[in-house]
Each structure stands twice: as structure tokens, then as C-alpha cells.
């Protein structure tokens, strides 16, 4: 009866169901019958005995659906694999492998009810070992299948094969090395080792993976062969075929591909002159095997490189005199003549002419014959000419004296303000009766100052002015009038620059205005001493009072800002700022350290200051927010020893300085004048120092050799300025725009190479492929004006055009390429370095006109923002808005924090500070009290 019930279930495709009230003994009997009945069931069903067909409470169920089917699997070494399947609705779920059911104990079954559908979800897994797979015999691989039951019937999953993975060691075919002609197609064959799963193949070129998507000259076929479509010189390399699967990775033997170039003849030169001046000789022309030159074992050119032709130039014949002719008859002047000709033979074929006289004369009366005296008419003519010349000279002298006296009268009478002659701080009034153009504006003292704008090699006219703005901050300022003071006030022309410069600075001022007191002479003597001991092109100096001002060394990125009130009231200081270029003044550096800025001195040393001045200088460190640098400010003591002052970012109440680091410049706030520089310590291999690369060549080149100089400098304005000055003296010119290079602390050298030299016209005398500057030379910056030289030789003097490329790069780092196109003509202009002349370099701005923020506005801002506010919109928020809040405690220790912040803003934005932007910051702070009253106060 039980067997009949099981057959019915099987015929209807239903799985057996177990009543809940069946006793435990009945369960045991049922499982015994199940084991016995296994031989009587087919592969789709496990017979469990006779049971009722349905129960009244059973809802209808669909056939099971597999949510997860077993996947193909590979056994790697001895690691077993797990197969998973999941089905719903499922009352039972089992695996069978190779047509045999897997024992229930080897299953791991989980059951849950789907919350959405309410159907039973069953998940089963089994573990397959290497031993099970190896024990299978037969043509088919080991496979397993999952079977799920529901009341509606059974469902089978797909078969999942389980294989033992492996990869043979030997390639079926390995690539072979080849030598191929340039632009020829190359085929490298590779058949990977046998393996399960099948091996994937990739190709390596010099140990780097080849990606055809990146280089379309490579193509990998479907059967793993590598094709180089057109062989290039850069394709000369070692190629390796790599096969890999989940088990192992195999490498083929390396195949070396060499791309060679066969030599080709250049064009013939012009025929040379005959090697013999006279008689038989020959002339020749040549060609060279350089178009292209043979490379990598390519064949040399076939044929002759020299052709000769016979020549037979005519011999030169030097001329010889004929015999003298007979003397002529004696003439009225008591003289007779004789002559000869250069025709015995006459010169020909380039021969020399005869030397000597053609005509000879002598007295023919032995002195007895007297010549006739000149007539009285001739004497009168000569006397008249002499008198006319004398009269012209007298008139010219009179006119010159008249013009000279008139000019002197205008020069000495233009100044009518007697206060200027007394040396007081009074404005000079220009008399209106002289020239109408002087009425339009007061004298402009800034015309003697050269303002630097843009790159240092783009040298601007010395008459550039500091532009003003229409910002509301300037509204309360009355009409500006620039006043000329004597040497104890604003501007003092220095005697060391010569009278010519003094006349340029104040063309209408007599010397009594410039030299009117003993104190002025004392200060001038001190200034002259400073100029004599320092390079005038690197020094700026001037006299300053409590009104303050600025000293700027143009084209150097160096300046000194003296705020109003920094010099005590009633005192006048002769101040200077200079860039030191002597090697013995540079600080010594340790391993990993480098000098990041020029050496800047300012003085006078020991001067009493009541608020900090600001020294601005350029630096070459790349500070992008990463902690790659440890930057120290160093100061030179009176014993010429360099001492550490402060580490940037570690300022505290005891440090005497504060340093504001910008992208290209740093600003040092200090009350101690002296000599300073920045020294950096690298903290990682990613630390970057900026270099400036500049390429120079001679303006004219009469010789056959042409020298190209490549300078690798610290990226500071003064370093490039120094090279410009030096190249000007050497007669050099810039061949391309200077470029910036990021140089890493990776210990790799700087490599320089020249390319694309026109072979028929020029040749490089460099024996190696490139030149290198050692990492230590470049990083420490110990050698000023560091450079390499490339020497090119032209084959003909008529060659005046040169076009080539120069590559400068750090090994395994960044690089720059210069395209040089220059002409060797004599009319080429050398670098215009007129502004590098010492007389035009010294720039002094004195008094309120030296600052962008008017004094009245500054005073209102300080009075409004110095006092702490509960909302926080005081000087602290101003520092935050201007990105000057790295160390607020420094400003807090000053009597006027706002004043120091505004001084630093002036130094950062000189000379083009945007007052409108400053006003916008104040509006964002909500400090309308700092703007509205200021805008209406006149």
C-alpha cells in the first residue's frame, strides 16, 4: 500500500508530505522504508512510502523556481569548492553529482519564508573535494545538479562542472627576436601553455604592459599574437608573452626586437674651387651618409661620398712696365715729361698690377727758367674767401652764446618759492608763465622709479606709474598733490648716481635745494658708502621719517615696507634694502636642505623701530598644503654666523618674527633689521622645488660654432635678473620663453638633451646622447648660475637659420621642451635690459603716497576694528577674510592688530592692491560703520 502511494506521488510529480501528528516510531520506520525504496525510484524522485495525495488545508503551490543555480567551479591545488543553490517554493532541495544523489548529511540546508510572497525559500550547499573529482572515471567531467520539490512537482537546475585547475609550464610556441627595418610590420607569435581554465595572455614591452588602446601601433590578435604595424625606433625593446590563470602565471622567453635604419646619402655639396691656382688640378664635392644615418646595425650607404673633376685654371700673369718714352719738349712751366705703360705684358688672369709711376716729370732748364707769378685777381679771390670764413665763425659763436644765456636764465628762474631754497618741508611752486604743460599736474616723483610688472624678462618702461582706483575707500581723500621735499624728507637723489640722474629726478631744482644742510651731507655720505659697497643694481635706499614708505629693488621680487609710525616721531633714517649675491654670504646647508630665497639685507642695523617692517622676497618652494617642507628663517649675526630665527608655522610669543608664506613670495614681519634668507628641509621624496629654465645664445656668430647655454636656476626673480645682466655683458639673447620646472627630492638627476638638429646644415658636437646635472647640484642651489652648454657646428658660413628642440627633465620626473627658432644675423637685437641699469633700478616711495590705503581710511579702520566685538567681526575676522589668520596671537600682541594686518595686505598686493575688494570684505563682515562715515568724510 505504501509503495502504491509513493508511485502515485511520483506519477503526479508531488513531493511527499509528513503529517505533524506522526509519532517518532513511525518516523524511524518511514526513513527505513526510504532507504529500501531508493532502488525503486527514478532519478527525479526520492520515494518515501505511501501517503495521502493531498490534505484539505494545503493551498495550491507552483513549481519551484531557482533563485540561485550552482556555478562552474575550479579546484585550485587542494582547496575544496562549495556549490550553492536556492529555490522557492521548495519543500525539499538536494544535490546529485554524476547522476548519483549526494547524501543528506553532506548537505547544508537553510529554510526561510519570503516576507512578500509567503512562500518557503530553501537554500542548499555542498562541498566538493579534489579527491571526489579525481575518483571519477569516464569521458565526462565531474558535474553536479540541484533538484527542488514542491507540491506541484520537481525542477532541476543546470549542470555545474567542477574541474581541477592547472597551467602547464611550457609554452606551445614562444616569441622569437627579430631585426626589422624601420616602418616594417613585425609579427611576434605566442601560444600559451595548456591549462584549465584557459590562460589569459598579455604582452610586456620592457616589463611594461602593452595596451593597444593607448598605442594604436600595437595590435593583439585573437590567437594571442602581437603585431607592430609600423616599426619605430622607440619600438626597439624586449618583448615578453605572459600567460596566467587562477592557478599560476607563466612568462615566455624574452624576444628582442631591434629596429634598424639603413643609411641614406645627403645632397651633394657645391663644387669646391680648383685646388691648383695654375695648371692641372681638380675640384671636388662631397656628400655624407646622414640622410638618415645608419642606426642599430643598418646598412651603410652604397657608392662614393666624394666626386672629383679635373680642372686647368689659367695661370696668373703679373704686369711689367714698358721702357720709358723719350722726354717731351720743354714747356712754358720749365718742365718736361716722359711716360711708360704696364703692358709688357699687361696683367691678366688675376696677376698683379705694375708698381710705380706711369708719368714722370722734371725741370728742363736746370733752374734757369722762372715760373710766372700769380695774378693780382687770384690774390684778391683768396683773401675774400678767408674773410668770409672768419665772419661765419664769429656769427656762430655769438648765436651759441645767446642760446646758452637764454637757457640758463629759464633754468634758474623757474623756482619762485623761497622756502624750497631754505630747505624747509614746503611744496615747490612751478611758475605759470613758463610752460603751459606744467600747469596740468604737479611734478611726478614716481617717474624716476621703475615698477616691476609681469615676468622679469618682460622689462617695462621706467615711467610706469602706480595706478589708483575709484574705490569708495578713496572718496574721502581730497585731490592728491605730490609735493617735492628736500633730502631730509621724501626723495633724495644720490650723488653716487651722478649729476645726470639728479637732473632726471628733479630737472628744475638747483643744487642748493639738494645740498642745503650739514645733516643732509652726512646722510648723503653714508648713502654713498652703502652704494659703493653694494651692487647698485641690487640695492634701493632712501630717507624716511615717521610717515613711512617703501623701498623696491625692481625685477628682483624684493622690497621693504616701512609702515607709518614705524620710525619714531621726529627722526629720519637713511634706510636700504639689498640683495646679496656673493657666494661667501650664503648659509651652508646640510643633506636634504636647500636655500629657497635670495639673501636680503636691510638696514641700518640696530635702528629703533616702534612697529614691525615687512621684508618681501620671492621663494622657490612648492607649498600645496602638504607637510613636505620644514622652512626656517635664518639671520646673519654680527659675527657673520647664520642663526635660526623661527620655523614657519611654529611661531609663538617669544619668536621675534612672523612669516606669511604665499605661493611665490614670503613676507617677514620683524622689528629687527638685518640679513635674512629662507632655508628648507625636505620631509619626503614628494617635496618639490621650482626651477626656472632659460636658454641663451649669442646675438652674432661669426665663427662656425654656435653655443647654446641652458640655465637651471631657482625660480626667484633675482636669479633670472642676475643671468639677464650677465648675458647682456656677454652679448647673449633669449632663444625662447623661460619655463618653470617642478623638481622633486627624488635623488634623480636633471637630464638635458638636444633634438631635431638639421643634419645637412648643422651637427652637434656632443658625444653622448645627453648631459646631466647631478641632483645635489640642483637641489642645494650651492652653484649660482648653474648651466649646461650645447655646441653646434654649421657646415657653411652662409647658414644663418637654426631650428631645434632642447629637452630638460628630471629622470623619472617632470620635463620641459623648448622649441628654438633663431637667426644668426648681425642685426639681431640682444636682450633689452635697460631697466637693469643701476640708475633706473633704485625705487623709493615715501610718505602717504607709498600706500594704497589712504591714511584717513586706515585710521578709521584701526579705530573701528581694534576693539574686540561680541559678534567677532573685529580684526580677527578681517584676518580670516584676508587669509592671514594662521597665527592670530602675533597680531594680538601689537598695539594695533588691524594696522599690522593692513600693512601685510599692502605688502602682499603691491603695487596693484584692489581697494574695492578690501571694501567688499568689510561689507561681508557687516562693518558698515567702517565704510559709510569714511565715504562721507571730506
Amino acid at each position: 500500500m505504501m509503495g502504491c502511494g509513493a508511485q502515485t506521488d511520483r506519477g503526479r510529480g508531488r513531493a511527499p508530505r509528513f503529517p505533524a501528528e506522526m509519532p517518532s516510531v513511525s518516523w524511524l520506520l518511514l526513513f527505513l522504508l526510504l532507504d529500501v525504496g531508493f532502488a525503486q525510484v527514478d532519478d527525479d524522485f526520492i520515494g518515501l512510502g505511501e501517503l495521502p495525495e493531498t490534505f484539505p488545508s494545503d493551498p495550491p503551490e507552483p513549481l519551484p523556481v531557482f533563485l540561485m543555480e550552482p556555478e562552474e567551479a575550479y579546484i585550485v591545488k587542494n582547496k575544496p569548492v562549495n556549490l550553492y543553490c536556492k529555490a522557492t517554493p521548495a519543500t525539499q532541495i538536494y544535490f546529485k553529482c554524476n547522476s548519483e544523489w549526494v547524501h543528506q548529511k553532506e548537505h547544508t540546508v537553510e529554510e526561510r519564508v519570503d516576507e512578500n510572497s509567503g512562500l518557503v525559500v530553501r537554500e542548499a550547499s555542498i562541498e566538493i573535494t579534489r579527491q571526489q573529482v579525481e575518483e571519477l572515471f569516464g569521458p565526462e567531467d565531474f558535474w553536479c545538479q540541484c533538484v527542488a520539490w514542491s507540491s506541484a512537482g520537481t525542477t532541476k537546475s543546470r549542470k555545474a562542472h567542477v574541474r581541477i585547475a592547472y597551467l602547464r609550464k611550457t609554452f606551445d610556441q614562444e616569441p622569437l627576436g627579430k631585426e626589422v627595418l624601420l616602418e616594417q610590420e613585425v609579427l611576434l607569435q605566442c601560444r600559451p601553455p595548456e591549462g584549465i581554465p584557459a590562460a589569459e595572455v598579455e604582452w610586456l614591452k620592457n616589463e611594461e604592459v602593452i595596451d593597444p588602446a593607448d598605442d594604436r601601433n600595437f595590435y593583439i590578435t585573437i590567437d594571442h599574437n602581437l603585431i607592430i604595424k609600423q616599426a619605430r625606433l622607440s619600438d626597439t625593446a624586449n618583448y615578453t608573452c605572459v600567460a596566467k590563470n587562477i592557478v599560476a602565471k607563466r612568462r615566455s622567453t624574452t624576444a628582442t626586437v631591434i629596429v634598424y635604419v639603413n643609411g641614406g646619402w645627403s645632397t651633394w655639396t657645391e663644387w669646391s674651387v680648383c685646388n691648383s691656382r695654375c695648371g692641372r688640378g681638380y675640384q671636388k664635392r662631397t656628400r655624407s651618409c646622414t640622410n638618415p644615418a645608419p642606426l642599430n646595425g643598418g646598412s651603410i650607404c652604397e657608392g662614393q661620398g666624394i666626386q672629383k673633376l679635373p680642372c686647368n685654371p689659367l695661370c696668373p700673369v703679373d704686369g711689367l712696365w714698358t721702357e720709358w718714352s723719350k722726354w717731351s719738349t720743354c714747356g712754358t712751366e720749365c718742365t718736361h715729361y716722359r711716360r711708360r705703360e704696364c703692358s709688357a705684358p699687361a696683367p691678366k688672369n688675376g696677376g698683379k698690377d705694375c708698381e710705380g709711376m706711369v708719368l714722370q716729370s722734371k725741370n728742363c732748364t736746370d733752374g734757369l727758367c722762372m715760373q710766372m707769378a700769380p695774378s693780382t685777381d687770384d690774390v684778391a679771390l683768396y683773401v675774400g674767401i678767408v674773410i668770409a670764413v672768419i665772419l661765419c665763425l664769429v656769427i656762430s659763436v655769438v648765436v651759441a652764446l645767446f642760446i646758452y644765456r637764454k637757457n640758463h636764465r629759464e633754468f634758474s628762474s623757474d623756482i619762485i618759492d623761497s622756502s624750497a631754497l631754505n630747505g624747509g618741508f614746503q611744496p615747490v611752486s612751478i611758475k605759470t608763465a613758463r610752460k603751459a604743460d606744467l600747469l596740468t599736474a604737479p611734478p611726478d616723483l614716481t617717474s624716476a622709479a621703475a615698477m616691476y610688472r609681469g615676468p622679469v624678462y618682460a622689462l617695462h618702461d621706467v615711467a610706469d606709474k602706480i595706478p589708483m582706483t575709484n574705490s569708495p575707500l578713496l572718496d574721502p581723500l581730497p585731490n592728491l598733490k605730490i609735493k617735492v621735499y628736500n633730502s631730509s624728507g621724501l626723495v633724495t637723489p644720490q650723488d653716487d648716481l651722478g649729476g645726470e640722474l639728479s637732473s632726471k629726478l628733479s630737472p628744475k631744482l638747483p643744487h642748493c635745494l639738494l645740498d642745503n644742510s650739514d645733516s643732509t651731507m652726512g646722510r648723503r655720505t653714508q648713502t654713498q658708502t652703502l652704494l659703493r659697497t653694494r651692487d647698485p643694481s641690487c640695492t634701493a635706499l632712501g630717507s624716511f621719517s615717521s610717515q613711512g614708505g617703501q623701498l623696491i629693488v625692481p625685477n628682483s621680487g624684493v622690497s621693504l615696507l616701512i609702515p607709518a609710525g614705524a620710525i619714531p616721531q621726529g627722526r629720519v633714517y637713511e634706510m636700504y634694502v639689498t640683495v646679496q649675491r656673493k657666494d661667501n654670504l650664503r648659509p651652508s646647508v646640510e643633506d636634504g636642505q636647500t636655500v629657497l630665497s635670495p639673501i636680503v639685507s636691510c638696514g641700518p642695523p640696530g635702528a629703533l623701530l616702534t612697529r614691525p617692517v615687512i621684508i618681501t622676497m620671492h621663494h622657490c618652494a612648492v607649498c600645496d598644503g602638504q607637510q613636505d617642507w620644514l622652512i626656517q628663517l635664518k639671520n646673519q649675526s654680527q659675527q657673520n654666523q647664520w642663526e635660526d630665527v623661527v620655523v614657519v608655522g611654529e611661531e609663538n610669543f617669544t619668536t621675534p618674527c612672523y612669516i606669511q608664506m604665499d605661493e611665490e613670495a614670503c613676507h617677514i614681519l620683524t622689528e629687527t633689521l638685518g640679513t635674512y634668507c629662507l632655508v628648507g628641509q625636505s620631509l619626503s621624496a614628494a617635496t618639490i622645488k621650482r626651477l626656472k629654465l632659460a636658454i641663451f645664445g649669442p646675438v652674432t656668430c661669426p665663427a662656425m660654432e654656435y653655443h647654446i647655454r641652458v640655465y637651471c636656476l631657482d625660480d626667484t626673480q633675482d636669479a633670472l635678473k642676475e643671468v639677464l645682466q650677465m648675458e647682456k655683458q656677454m652679448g647673449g639673447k633669449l632663444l625662447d620663453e623661460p619655463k618653470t620646472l617642478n623638481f622633486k627630492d627624488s635623488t634623480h638627476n636633471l637630464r638635458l638633451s638636444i633634438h631635431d638638429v638639421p643634419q645637412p646644415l648643422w651637427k652637434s658636437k656632443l658625444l653622448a646622447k645627453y648631459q646631466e646635472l647631478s641632483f645635489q647640484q640642483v637641489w642645494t642651489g650651492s652653484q649660482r648660475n648653474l648651466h649646461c652648454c650645447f655646441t653646434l657646428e654649421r657646415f657653411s658660413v652662409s647658414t644663418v637659420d637654426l631650428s631645434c628642440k632642447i629637452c630638460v627633465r628630471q629622470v623619472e620626473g617632470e620635463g620641459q621642451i623648448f622649441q628654438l627658432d633663431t637667426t644668426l644675423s648681425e642685426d639681431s637685437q640682444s636682450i633689452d635690459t635697460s631697466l637693469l641699469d643701476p640708475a633706473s633700478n633704485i625705487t623709493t616711495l615715501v610718505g602717504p603716497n607709498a600706500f594704497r590705503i589712504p591714511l584717513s581710511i586706515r585710521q578709521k579702520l584701526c579705530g573701528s576694528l581694534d576693539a574686540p566685538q561680541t559678534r567677532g567681526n573685529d580684526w580677527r575676522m578681517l584676518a580670516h577674510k584676508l587669509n592671514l589668520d594662521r597665527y592670530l596671537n602675533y597680531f594680538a600682541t601689537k598695539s594695533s592688530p588691524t594696522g599690522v594686518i593692513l600693512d601685510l595686505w599692502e605688502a602682499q598686493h603691491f603695487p596693484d592692491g584692489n581697494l574695492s575688494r578690501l571694501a567688499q570684505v568689510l561689507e561681508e563682515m557687516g562693518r558698515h560703520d567702517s565704510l559709510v562715515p569714511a565715504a562721507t568724510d571730506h
Side-chain angles (χ1 to χ4, degrees), residues 276-280 312-318 348-351:
S276 174
R277 290 189 63 227
C278 175
R280 296 182 61 182
N312 190 13
L314 297 175
C315 296
V317 177
D318 295 337
K348 60 182 179 180
N349 302 331

Side-chain angles (χ1 to χ4, degrees), residues 448 486-506 511 514-515 519-532 536 539-544 551 573-576 838-839 842-844 846:
N486 64 2
S487 60
S488 61
L490 289 178
V491 174
T492 306
Q494 304 301 333
D495 287 348
D496 194 58
L497 301 181
E500 181 182 356
L501 177 61
S502 298
S503 64
K504 290 179 180 178
L505 290 174
S506 299
H511 287 286
L514 302 177
D515 305 320
S519 62
T520 301
M521 291 298 296
R523 284 192 297 274
R524 176 168 296 124
T525 302
Q526 181 183 6
T527 301
Q528 293 173 3
T529 304
L530 292 174
L531 278 176
R532 284 195 294 270
T539 303
L541 56 124
S543 301
F544 294 91
L551 289 173
Y573 289 168
E574 287 279 353
M575 304 189 71
Y576 66 88
I842 302 175
T843 301
T844 307
V846 184

Side-chain angles (χ1 to χ4, degrees), residues 17-30 50-52:
R17 300 181 63 91
F18 302 96
E21 65 273 7
M22 182 178 292
S24 57
V25 177
S26 300
W27 277 96
L28 293 176
L29 292 174
L30 179 62
E50 182 178 357
L51 289 175

